[in-house]
């Protein structure tokens, strides 16, 4: 048996034992409730007999014991009736007894609580004793519900702890794999840089080596991205216009001419505290997502605007669009409409923008069949 199988078996044994313990507690509580209820029934029988004694008393009847029994009842509400008319009561507030409607409603509740005890004080003449549950019995009645609620909350706490622990372990695993990937890419990348330097000494069109260098720089950027996963990124003051356009223009040169790229925005620098590598990743994810939505053909517009406090980056495509109910779910890990895809791009983008840069990302607007606009909002440097 493997370790994971043994762990699952142990987990089910613990769950089964816990369920058995809970069942025993609930059963004991129910049993105790019934015993206590029966004891109260016996007490009320004594109370009824004491009342019968008082009804039939004469000058020779010893009333000390019946009166003591009646007066000792300080917890159980009682109504003594005859032909549905209340003759006497015990442990019931005066404002209820003095109001006929309230008294009738209270009597109806007592009838639902317990079966009446009949007092035949003379042949063919009866009175009825209606009684409710004592405060202690009422509390005991709701004890199993409170116990189940506590157990449910405790179970939810354990589940959340287990889930968060599992997610933390998975995050460490992915971060470790990402860093190892970055390390592995570094070796052939260094070799490629050396080969480019050799090519520069040969009689080769310099534009070719220039494009190769750009791709190598891109690989270095990707390697840098992977190496930063799992670490808190360092934010530095940069021009958001320059950093955004560097990525946007590089992607424009690498995609089909069937995608019409355009840019609208201010020309003067806008300083924002960012991590250039991670910002580049967000722009790349949004652009690639837009091109996928257009199936590689359409118009793609990048627009940067600002107000007194924020810079807003809008990426607009002419793709298939998304429904309003998907505005939030598209940022959840694993959500994807592609046949091939892990559904991590937009989730990662949201994390970079909101957790690392204290910004916001949202679907600004979208229309089915006409396109979607994503908006990133970042705080300007004060």
């Amino acid at each position: 048996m493997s370790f994971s199988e043994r762990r699952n078996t142990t987990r089910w044994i613990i769950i089964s034992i816990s369920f058995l313990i809970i069942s025993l507690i609930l059963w004991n509580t129910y049993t105790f409730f019934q015993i206590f209820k029966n004891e109260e029934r016996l007490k009320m029988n004594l109370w009824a007999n004491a009342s019968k004694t008082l009804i039939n008393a004469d000058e020779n009847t010893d009333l000390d014991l019946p009166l003591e029994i009646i007066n000792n009842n300080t917890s159980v509400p009682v109504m003594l009736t005859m032909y549905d008319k209340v003759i006497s009561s015990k442990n019931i507030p005066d404002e209820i007894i003095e109001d006929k409607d309230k008294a009738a409603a209270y009597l109806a509740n007592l009838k639902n609580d317990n079966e009446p005890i009949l007092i035949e004080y003379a042949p063919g003449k009866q009175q009825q004793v209606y009684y409710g549950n004592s405060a202690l019995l009422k509390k005991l009645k709701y004890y199993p519900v409170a116990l189940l609620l506590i157990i449910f909350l405790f179970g939810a706490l354990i589940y959340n702890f287990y889930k968060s622990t599992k997610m933390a372990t998975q995050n460490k695993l992915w971060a470790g794999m990402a860093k190892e990937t970055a390390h592995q890419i570094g070796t052939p990348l260094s070799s490629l840089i050396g080969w480019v330097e050799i090519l520069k000494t040969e009689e080769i069109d310099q534009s070719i080596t220039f494009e190769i260098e750009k791709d190598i720089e891109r690989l270095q950027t990707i390697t840098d991205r992977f190496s930063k996963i799992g670490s808190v990124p360092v934010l530095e003051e940069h021009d958001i216009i320059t950093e955004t356009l560097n990525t946007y223009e590089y992607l424009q040169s690498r995609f089909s001419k069937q995608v019409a790229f355009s840019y609208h925005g201010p020309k003067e620098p806008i300083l924002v505290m960012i991590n250039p590598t991670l910002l580049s990743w967000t722009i790349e994810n949004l652009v690639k997502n837009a091109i996928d939505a257009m199936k590689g053909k359409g118009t793609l517009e990048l627009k940067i605007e600002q107000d007194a406090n924020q810079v807003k980056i809008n990426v607009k495509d002419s793709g298939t669009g998304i429904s309003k109910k998907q505005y939030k779910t598209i940022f959840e890990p694993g959500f994807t409409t592609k046949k091939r895809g892990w559904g991590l791009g937009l989730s990662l983008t949201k994390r970079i923008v909101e957790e690392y840069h204290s910004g916001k990302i949202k679907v600004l607007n979208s229309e089915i069949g006409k396109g979607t606009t994503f908006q990133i909002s970042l705080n300007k440097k004060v």
Side-chain angles (χ1 to χ4, degrees):
M1 182 181 292
S2 64
F3 173 75
S4 59
E5 290 176 342
R6 288 197 303 270
R7 186 171 60 180
N8 287 332
T9 301
T10 303
R11 187 180 304 160
W12 280 111
I13 290 173
I14 294 173
I15 292 173
S16 300
I17 293 174
S18 302
F19 181 77
L20 180 61
I21 292 173
I22 293 169
S23 300
L24 289 174
I25 292 174
L26 293 177
W27 174 254
N28 286 334
T29 304
Y30 173 78
T31 303
F32 183 69
F33 176 81
Q34 292 300 323
I35 292 172
F36 199 76
K37 191 175 181 69
N38 291 334
E39 288 182 354
E40 283 198 353
R41 181 78 177 183
L42 292 174
K43 290 179 182 178
M44 294 317 301
N45 277 318
L46 291 174
W47 193 92
N49 290 328
S51 298
K52 181 179 178 180
T53 301
L54 290 178
I55 294 171
N56 295 324
D58 55 26
E59 64 276 6
N60 298 319
T61 305
D62 184 4
L63 300 179
D64 291 340
L65 182 59
L67 288 174
E68 185 178 355
I69 292 173
I70 291 175
N71 292 329
N72 280 343
N73 175 28
T74 59
S75 60
V76 180
V78 183
M79 278 185 171
L80 182 63
T81 67
M82 185 174 183
Y83 305 119
D84 283 337
K85 182 180 179 180
V86 179
I87 299 173
S88 64
S89 63
K90 182 74 172 175
N91 302 322
I92 299 175
D94 293 337
E95 60 268 19
I96 293 178
I97 298 301
E98 293 170 359
D99 189 314
K100 291 184 178 180
D101 293 333
K102 290 183 178 179
Y106 198 90
L107 178 60
N109 290 331
L110 293 182
K111 289 180 179 180
N112 292 328
D113 285 342
N114 297 285
E115 289 293 325
I117 298 174
L118 301 180
I119 301 175
E120 189 172 358
Y121 61 91
K125 294 183 179 181
Q126 290 183 339
Q127 291 181 351
Q128 297 82 31
V129 176
Y130 291 98
Y131 68 96
N133 297 322
S134 63
L136 179 60
L137 195 61
K138 288 180 179 179
K139 291 179 181 179
L140 191 62
K141 181 180 180 180
Y142 294 106
Y143 175 75
V145 178
L147 181 63
L148 286 174
L149 181 60
I150 293 172
I151 292 170
F152 174 77
L153 293 175
F154 184 69
L157 181 65
I158 292 175
Y159 173 77
N160 286 332
F161 174 76
Y162 170 76
K163 186 177 181 181
S164 61
T165 303
K166 186 176 181 181
M167 289 181 64
T169 303
Q170 290 178 342
N171 288 338
K172 288 181 180 179
L173 176 62
W174 287 113
M177 290 179 63
K179 291 180 181 293
E180 180 62 21
T181 301
H183 178 71
Q184 295 292 336
I185 292 175
T187 301
L189 193 56
S190 300
S191 178
L192 285 173
I193 294 173
W195 283 109
V196 168
E197 294 300 321
I198 294 175
L199 288 175
K200 286 181 179 179
T201 62
E202 303 293 331
E203 295 180 359
I204 296 177
D205 187 351
Q206 293 300 310
S207 63
I208 295 176
T209 57
F210 177 72
E211 290 300 324
I212 294 175
E213 282 184 322
K214 287 175 65 177
D215 286 333
I216 290 175
E217 288 176 3
R218 194 64 184 172
L219 284 172
Q220 288 175 321
T221 300
I222 294 171
T223 303
D224 190 29
R225 290 175 185 171
F226 277 99
S227 66
K228 283 181 168 59
I229 291 178
S231 304
V232 178
V234 177
L235 303 184
E236 298 175 340
E237 181 182 310
H238 288 276
D239 175 21
I240 193 74
I241 304 293
T242 301
E243 298 299 334
T244 302
L245 286 179
N246 284 341
T247 301
Y248 189 68
E249 291 172 356
Y250 172 83
L251 294 171
Q252 181 179 357
S253 66
R254 293 299 184 272
F255 279 101
S256 168
K257 300 300 181 182
Q258 291 183 319
V259 178
F261 286 76
S262 64
Y263 167 71
H264 304 281
K267 295 181 180 179
E268 67 276 7
I270 303 175
L271 299 180
V272 180
M273 297 298 293
I274 60 172
N275 183 286
T277 302
L278 295 182
L279 177 70
S280 171
W281 205 348
T282 63
I283 300 301
E284 182 177 327
N285 283 337
L286 290 179
V287 170
K288 288 183 176 180
N289 186 74
I291 293 174
D292 287 339
M294 297 186 296
K295 299 181 179 179
K297 184 179 181 181
T299 59
L300 181 61
E301 177 185 342
L302 174 68
K303 183 178 181 181
I304 299 179
E305 52 190 6
Q306 64 176 323
D307 55 28
N309 301 314
Q310 289 188 323
V311 178
K312 296 179 180 179
I313 304 172
N314 296 338
V315 178
K316 181 180 179 181
D317 63 64
S318 59
T320 55
I322 57 177
S323 61
K324 287 187 177 181
K325 64 181 181 180
Q326 293 180 323
Y327 277 18
K328 292 183 178 180
T329 55
I330 59 172
F331 293 106
E332 294 179 359
F335 180 88
T336 180
T337 57
K338 307 171 189 175
K339 293 182 179 179
R340 295 182 179 180
W342 290 65
L344 298 177
L346 289 177
S347 173
L348 182 62
T349 300
K350 181 180 177 68
R351 183 171 184 178
I352 291 173
V353 172
E354 297 189 356
E355 292 187 21
Y356 295 153
H357 290 83
S358 301
K360 292 289 183 183
I361 182 171
K362 64 180 181 180
V363 179
L364 185 62
N365 55 66
S366 183
E367 190 173 348
I368 300 297
K370 292 189 176 180
T372 302
T373 302
F374 284 90
Q375 184 180 80
I376 297 174
S377 301
L378 299 173
N379 295 322
K380 293 171 64 177
K381 186 178 183 301
V382 179

